[in-house]
Amino acid sequence: MIVCRTIDDVRREINTLKSKGLSVGLVPTMGALHKGHTTLFDIAGEHSDAVVASIFVNPTQFGPNEDFDSYPRQLESDLEICKKHKISIVFAPDKGEMYHEAKFLRIEIDSLNEHMCGSSRPGFFEGVLLIVNKLFNIIQPHLAVFGQKDIQQFMILNRMNEEFNHGIKMIMAPVVRVNDGLALSSRNAYLSDEERYIAPGLYRALQFIEKQILSGVREPGLMIRHQISELEAKGFKIDYINTFSHTTLQPVNTLVQHEKYILAGAVWLGSTRLIDNILIESLQ
Ligand code: AMP
């Protein structure tokens, strides 16, 4: 496994791989690796000859009051994990390598960030778009793997891939969970014991709503509000829980047959923000 700290180095190593005719899969991460990430590594490995993992805590996707400084950083143990999962190249640049002081351009998102996490985290998805656009240009992989856990991120990056003609095969990996249903996240480390105990409540609420929808409820608003009240009573602060169109990411009040929806939620437990979602495929 080769560890590259600069863009020149990683470009040289990638060119060597490609000159041997090998296909390259990319998995962008912010490190603090867990099974959610390694599942993406393994999926990338199944679909490509060599996997590049990037590890970079991207400053442009953190708001001024968010956890950029305290975000867990553990490069040494991350590298061990990468080795175990047969990563060929780790690209771990520092901030100065990825961003110059002067900034004259920015990418704007038209409408896919109006709702869900976009409305409560202004600038977040522009920051994600910027860094992944850079990574796509630097690595020029054949395919890239992202997690369903951050489904809005995947949908926006998928549009970027199409609209900016990157021509990369985009794979969305399913949400990886702990036994009690909590989606794995580097931020779970912030939860107190008590918060960790109730944290799976978000997924349980989503599962309950999903079940009702699958058994015929077409206007889930009232039921969602009821689930929100129950979560609030347990100590959650709700950012949003709703059904959204799979194509436009706009909230949908009345569900119709044969359409695909995202049932998604974001909540706070103390100072920790948790997100989760379930895909509702083609209703009967
Ligand atoms: P992050 O390091 O949080 O930026 O995540 C890097 C990639 O791992 C993103 O594509 C995430 O969607 C994905 N990921 C993180 N946690 C999970 C999880 N529990 N299940 C599936 N994918 C995940």
Side-chain angles (χ1 to χ4, degrees), residues 125-159:
F125 286 115
E126 279 87 357
V128 173
L129 207 68
L130 183 57
I131 192 65
V132 177
N133 197 39
K134 280 167 172 281
L135 290 170
F136 278 7
N137 284 324
I138 294 165
I139 313 284
Q140 299 184 11
H142 297 90
L143 68 91
V145 187
F146 300 88
Q148 184 195 322
K149 182 179 151 265
D150 302 277
I151 193 161
Q152 188 173 17
Q153 167 173 292
F154 179 82
M155 304 303 284
I156 290 173
L157 293 174
N158 204 28
R159 287 309 308 168

